[in-house]
Amino acid sequence: MKHLLSAADLDRAAAESILDEADRLKEALLGREVRKLPTLRGKTVLTVFYENSTRTRVSFETAGKWMSADVINVSASASSVQKGESLRDTALTLTAIGADALIVRHPASGAAVQMARWVAPGGVGPSVINAGDGTHEHPTQALLDAMTLRERLGGLDGRRVVIVGDVLHSRVARSNALLLSTLGAEVVLVAPPTLLPVGVDTWPVRASTDLDAELADADAVMMLRVQAERMNGAFFPSAREYAVRYGLGPGRAARLREDTVVLHPGPMVRGMEIGFDIADAPASAVLQQVTNGVHVRMSVLLHTLVATEGTPE
């Protein structure tokens, strides 16, 4: 696997290979006083972020360092981008410096795909990993969500996963819709009509506007953040009304089955899409998602940068 640009790049076998390797890496590092593997020694990994991030950027940096790669963070706010340098020139410059992998987050949908064409024509050049591009996709988030659900539910075949909130602007929703369906889950998207994308009927999912009707049979509920920074208009009357109709408050949480898993890709806006206490309840897998993000990203780096024939000791 040269690049990871979309969840659509992964068939079931490829996705399960990444998840199985992530499980092995997690087990290999469990209880180690020094969490270091020599797997990527000599490799240079650059995180190129044009948007703010905590979880994704830090977990990619941690993943690279735990596998002994040289990891360098490139922040757009402190780079030549502020002087007017184009994405293409930045990508080619970093390639010329000697990057083996470019992990890119960008506000423009399709930026990661375009970067891969620039830096690795014909498949020769650094690997590009999409860490979120506009409202398009975030494939490693979907992988870590799948890993968490496998741990909590034992498997994904036949499981019903309800994804709730701002689907229109969510790259997480798109990647999860593709990946979880590929792994055998039934995915239900729930949102106000104004926050469901045009053409959602062509996705491998079922769409609904009635959250209460979808909760009883849910094996997992994933709450999405309302991405106000991407909105150029009023998509719902008020935050209060949104919380009443589409938030996971105490009343709705009480109607979930005891074994229903609650997820959130973060950052959470407590009190709006998810209740203050619910985010910290036993059903919540939010911090487990963060932990698994490191191991999934280790696995993705392993799959893109070296041949995988088992976890190194």
Side-chain angles (χ1 to χ4, degrees), residues 72-277:
I72 302 169
N73 175 40
V74 181
S75 174
S77 62
S79 71
S80 294
V81 171
Q82 295 302 305
K83 300 177 181 179
E85 185 172 70
S86 69
L87 177 63
R88 179 180 183 275
D89 285 337
T90 297
L92 293 175
T93 296
L94 297 176
T95 300
I97 286 172
D100 294 296
L102 297 172
I103 299 163
V104 60
R105 169 169 286 194
H106 199 279
S109 298
V113 173
Q114 189 59 62
M115 184 178 281
R117 291 172 180 161
W118 287 327
V119 303
V124 178
S127 296
V128 176
I129 299 169
N130 184 1
D133 61 332
T135 60
H136 179 224
E137 281 212 47
H138 194 352
T140 60
Q141 177 69 45
L143 284 163
L144 72 87
D145 292 337
M147 181 179 180
T148 304
L149 288 171
R150 292 206 316 179
E151 289 179 346
R152 285 290 188 106
L153 301 175
L156 285 165
D157 279 307
R159 297 293 192 171
R160 177 176 290 185
V161 181
V162 179
I163 301 176
V164 186
D166 184 4
V167 176
L168 178 63
H169 302 99
S170 176
R171 52 199 174 205
V172 172
R174 284 168 171 76
S175 288
N176 268 295
L178 292 168
L179 184 69
L180 296 180
S181 298
T182 296
L183 293 171
E186 175 192 355
V187 179
V188 182
L189 302 179
V190 180
T194 53
L195 290 175
L196 283 172
V198 173
V200 71
D201 54 317
T202 65
W203 296 17
V205 301
R206 182 168 61 81
S208 171
T209 59
D210 187 349
L211 176 56
D212 293 313
E214 304 297 340
L215 292 179
D217 297 325
D219 294 295
V221 178
M222 181 184 299
M223 306 307 296
L224 301 172
R225 181 177 65 88
V226 173
Q227 299 188 39
E229 73 276 11
R230 300 189 188 279
M231 295 181 178
N232 296 312
F235 287 81
F236 46 85
S238 67
R240 179 177 176 80
E241 179 168 325
Y242 181 91
V244 169
R245 296 200 61 190
Y246 294 98
L248 187 62
R252 285 199 173 98
R255 295 201 294 274
L256 295 174
R257 299 198 319 254
E258 288 187 5
D259 60 345
T260 300
V261 184
V262 176
L263 304 101
H264 195 299
M268 293 184 289
V269 182
R270 297 186 187 227
M272 186 175 176
E273 72 261 9
I274 191 167
F276 285 86
D277 295 336

